Amino acid sequence: MGALPAAAHPGPAAAAGALDFSTAGQLTVIALCALTAYLAHLALAVFNDGVRPFMLDFIQGRTTRNATGAVSFGLSAGFIFGLGAPMALSSGVLNPWLVFLPTDLLGILAPKKWLAPVLGGAWGAVVVFGLKGANEMAHKLPVDFLTAMQQMSTPILFLFTLFPVLAISKQFGRLPGAVAGVVELALVVVTMKLWPKVFAGAPAMAAGVLLLIGFAVAKDLRQRRTERAQAAEERAQAAEERPAVPDDDPMVSLFSASAARLRRHLPLFMALGAGVCLLAQLHIFGGGEATSFLIAKGRSAEAAQVDFYRAFGFLPLIATTALASGAYGIAGFTFVYPIGYLLPSPWWALVCGALVFGVEVLALSGIGRALGGLPSVRDSSEQLRGAIGATLQLALLFGSLLAAQAMGGGLGILLVGGLYLLNEAMGRVVVRTAAGPAAVVVGGVLLNVLYWLDLFTPLTS
């Protein structure tokens, strides 16, 4: 990608932000929204990781649909309207916050089983038909804040590259973090120089994640050697320190019951995997902030790489919350995203998505047991997830200010930055990750109002 020609020369989707879907794409979104709302109604799967732990009380009848729906709304509304909608409108590519978070809410709140897929399908229709009209209307405004929001792509793509460095620094200290930072920076520079058509952050991310895994494995190996040495000297004491889990352990029973519940609905999960993989294969959907812009620019291989690494940060969380609550993730472990981006045919996507989800659900108990014996790897995943959030918060804030500059100069920065700071002062009414893009939208509307009042002249390009 060299000096980021992707930002300077966006692809057709990014340039137009058309959100103009084929008939196959429209039907896929509507059908998938109907299915995900149905699964949420049955408390079998939700997308929001924060909602999933609350599903156990709902499944066991200790709370009501309305109460669970209120939790879902509180944890999802900011991401839907502050991140999902602005990202889709600016990139021209759908995202999981816009597609799946509303179906969580609609499915949970639906009082009847048959009503859940109807409401979910209706939301899918709003997404594929309503967004196009909103997009076209916004582009006709005197201050085109959607085009300005494409300025967010460069900070998101490049700052996202650093999340393994942050994870390594927090888990293993400053020196390993500094080494990882130097390695990533060198790879970015070399890639820009020697392979200008390759997204420079992709090799750097690969190296960073491999270093993180290497440090974690090395730490676990050292710990096991130490434990074996101690066991040789004090076998009796070691046996007391590592007692076997009793057969009647309540967590073991809960995990087993949850895994069995999910396996009983394996055909539904395989249909879900097929649908999510097909949506990714159609290249109208991106699994994350960086991925959305990469898909919009036609860079499917780089998008697959980004989402593949991102999946490792969320796999332990999804596995443990699924086993504890009995509700799986709508996108599973999210490996269907990169697989879908790379597949050449929709039929392959349907088959591969179904198989991937089938394997994930059947292997869930084994994955949970394996994670129990890999403490450093579990910690690495936790650090990856936190680092992803930190890098994206900075990238979205910086990108939002670039968008503000593009649409309104100093006044734009004042409005967007002021709205962001006001949100912080008010206790983050909008979650921090979504606050920047939401501020750009609100700031863009305010600039248009000022234009109509003859108090602002739009910048000339």
Side-chain angles (χ1 to χ4, degrees):
M1 191 179 283
L4 195 60
H9 306 287
L19 289 165
D20 192 8
F21 308 116
S22 66
T23 302
Q26 293 169 352
L27 292 175
T28 299
V29 173
I30 293 172
L32 186 57
C33 285
L35 177 59
T36 54
Y38 181 68
L39 288 167
H41 177 86
L42 298 178
L44 287 173
V46 290
F47 180 78
N48 194 319
D49 295 321
V51 173
R52 199 172 303 116
F54 293 92
M55 298 304 290
L56 180 63
D57 285 340
F58 175 66
I59 292 169
Q60 297 181 347
R62 292 195 295 267
T63 189
T64 64
R65 283 195 179 278
N66 288 338
T68 309
V71 171
S72 178
F73 180 81
L75 294 175
S76 302
F79 287 101
I80 296 170
F81 301 108
L83 185 62
M87 288 292 295
L89 290 169
S90 60
S91 67
V93 174
L94 299 178
N95 57 69
W97 306 285
L98 182 65
V99 176
F100 298 139
L101 287 181
T103 60
D104 281 359
L105 178 61
L106 293 171
I108 292 171
L109 289 177
K112 301 293 184 181
K113 187 183 296 186
W114 63 266
L115 186 58
V118 172
L119 293 175
W123 174 253
V126 169
V127 168
V128 296
F129 297 116
L131 280 183
K132 180 182 178 182
N135 182 280
E136 291 174 349
M137 182 177 66
H139 280 299
K140 293 177 182 178
L141 293 173
V143 180
D144 185 358
F145 56 88
L146 293 185
T147 298
M149 287 182 73
Q150 293 176 19
Q151 297 290 328
M152 294 192 299
S153 64
T154 301
I156 289 173
L157 290 173
F158 275 92
L159 287 176
F160 189 74
T161 302
L162 293 174
F163 76 84
V165 177
L166 268 66
I168 291 171
S169 299
K170 289 183 178 180
Q171 185 172 3
F172 299 106
R174 298 176 182 177
L175 181 58
V179 171
V182 171
V183 170
E184 285 208 9
L185 178 60
L187 282 173
V188 168
V189 173
V190 170
T191 304
M192 283 181 166
K193 182 67 176 177
L194 300 181
W195 304 288
K197 294 184 178 180
V198 175
F199 170 48
M205 269 187 285
V209 172
L210 288 174
L211 283 173
L212 177 64
I213 294 173
F215 287 138
V217 171
K219 182 177 180 180
D220 281 339
L221 289 176
R222 288 195 301 269
Q223 184 174 349
R224 288 184 181 181
R225 284 196 297 267
T226 302
E227 289 176 353
R228 282 197 298 267
Q230 292 175 347
E233 296 175 0
E234 304 176 22
R235 294 183 183 278
Q237 180 180 354
E240 292 177 2
E241 292 175 354
R242 296 198 303 269
V245 178
D247 294 336
D248 59 349
D249 187 288
M251 290 307 294
V252 172
S253 300
L254 175 62
F255 281 18
S256 299
S258 296
R261 178 176 187 264
L262 297 177
R263 286 196 299 270
R264 286 197 300 271
H265 297 88
L266 187 62
L268 275 176
F269 285 113
M270 293 181 72
L272 175 62
V276 175
C277 197
L278 175 60
L279 187 65
Q281 194 279 331
L282 293 173
H283 296 163
I284 61 174
F285 175 91
E289 301 87 343
T291 317
S292 293
F293 286 108
L294 287 170
I295 292 293
K297 300 172 194 302
R299 296 180 174 272
S300 301
E302 288 94 337
Q305 189 173 355
V306 169
D307 271 353
F308 180 74
Y309 299 140
R310 183 180 184 135
F312 285 104
F314 290 88
L315 188 152
L317 174 67
I318 294 169
T320 53
T321 55
L323 288 169
S325 68
Y328 199 41
I330 286 295
F333 294 141
T334 72
F335 289 114
V336 288
Y337 292 163
I339 291 171
Y341 302 149
L342 298 177
L343 289 174
S345 164
W347 300 110
W348 276 107
L350 290 170
V351 173
C352 291
L355 291 175
V356 168
F357 257 53
V359 170
E360 288 182 3
V361 172
L362 292 174
L364 197 55
S365 294
I367 292 171
R369 288 193 297 270
L371 290 172
L374 297 170
S376 295
V377 173
R378 289 201 315 273
D379 291 345
S380 295
S381 295
E382 184 71 25
Q383 297 296 344
L384 273 178
R385 197 164 63 252
I388 287 171
T391 53
L392 286 175
Q393 283 177 9
L394 177 61
L396 287 166
L397 174 59
F398 187 58
S400 297
L401 292 176
L402 287 180
Q405 166 71 23
M407 69 183 184
L411 180 58
I413 292 176
L414 174 64
L415 287 173
V416 172
L419 287 168
Y420 183 90
L421 293 173
L422 180 62
N423 182 67
E424 289 286 309
M426 295 176 63
R428 296 176 194 157
V429 178
V430 179
V431 291
R432 183 177 283 170
T433 304
V440 174
V441 174
V442 175
V445 172
L446 291 175
L447 287 175
N448 278 289
V449 172
L450 291 175
Y451 168 80
W452 288 323
L453 295 174
D454 200 22
L455 296 174
F456 173 72
T457 301
L459 301 180
T460 57
S461 56

